[in-house]
Amino acid sequence: MKKTILLIIALITGIYSANAQYKKGDIELGGEISYKVTDGFHQFAISPEAEFFLNEHWAINTGISLFGNNHKTRFGISAGVNYYLPITQKLYFAPRGGFDVEFTESNWAICIKPNLVYELTEHIAMSLGIGYIGVGQFDDNNNTSFRIGICDNLAWGIAYKF
């Protein structure tokens, strides 16, 4: 029984790996438009980014962000890593772990953000992110806190793969 279960797991893993469309050396240029509610403030962000694939599952990324709300505009950078887990041949669950810093404030965060990525064509992919889990300074009070956001951080993105 134990061998049968291991064989089934190996077959499923092999099938999903064979369907993987990303490969080592792929580069994606893209970005996200996001909406977030933090401490009652509604914030929008535009975040261009670049992603380099280490293999079919792991990618490192870096980007810049321009944040704005009804009070001010801020600038930030981010760096992180994504793990692409194929659900179907073109749909991936791609949680992103990373570090974000805002330069005009003392805000920073280390977060994990769940994303779904869908390959529209061989070169164009679309992503949807909902929520986050993280620790950092999320407000102007310089207090470090742990946060879980389910629906207060929504992001939509598009990328071009070379």
Side-chain angles (χ1 to χ4, degrees), residues 63-79:
I64 59 174
S65 296
L66 183 62
F67 305 97
N69 62 26
N70 47 349
H71 296 294
K72 55 189 162 190
T73 302
R74 299 184 308 267
F75 173 75
I77 63 169
S78 63

Side-chain angles (χ1 to χ4, degrees), residues 8-94:
I8 291 171
I9 291 171
L11 286 172
I12 290 172
T13 304
I15 289 168
Y16 280 124
S17 296
N19 288 335
Q21 299 296 313
Y22 292 103
K23 61 186 180 303
K24 181 179 179 178
D26 282 349
I27 297 173
E28 269 192 350
L29 297 178
E32 289 183 344
I33 298 171
S34 61
Y35 171 76
K36 175 170 54 172
V37 179
T38 304
D39 297 328
F41 290 106
H42 300 268
Q43 178 176 286
F44 294 90
I46 298 172
S47 307
E49 62 184 20
E51 197 165 46
F52 178 76
F53 284 82
L54 303 173
N55 59 38
E56 66 270 5
H57 295 289
W58 289 98
I60 54 175
N61 61 63
T62 185
I64 59 174
S65 296
L66 183 62
F67 305 97
N69 62 26
N70 47 349
H71 296 294
K72 55 189 162 190
T73 302
R74 299 184 308 267
F75 173 75
I77 63 169
S78 63
V81 63
N82 282 25
Y83 182 78
Y84 283 77
L85 179 64
I87 297 171
T88 67
Q89 188 171 0
K90 294 185 177 222
L91 180 65
Y92 297 85
F93 176 64

Side-chain angles (χ1 to χ4, degrees), residues 32 82 92-96 113-117 127-131 155:
E32 289 183 344
N82 282 25
Y92 297 85
F93 176 64
R96 170 179 293 190
K113 301 174 185 175
N115 283 321
L116 288 175
V117 176
S127 66
L128 176 65
I130 300 174

Side-chain angles (χ1 to χ4, degrees), residues 122-149:
E122 182 180 344
H123 296 284
I124 298 175
M126 194 170 62
S127 66
L128 176 65
I130 300 174
Y132 64 91
I133 298 172
V135 64
Q137 293 178 354
F138 297 98
D139 53 32
D140 298 336
N141 298 330
N142 294 330
N143 296 325
T144 301
S145 61
F146 176 78
R147 291 195 179 175
I148 297 175

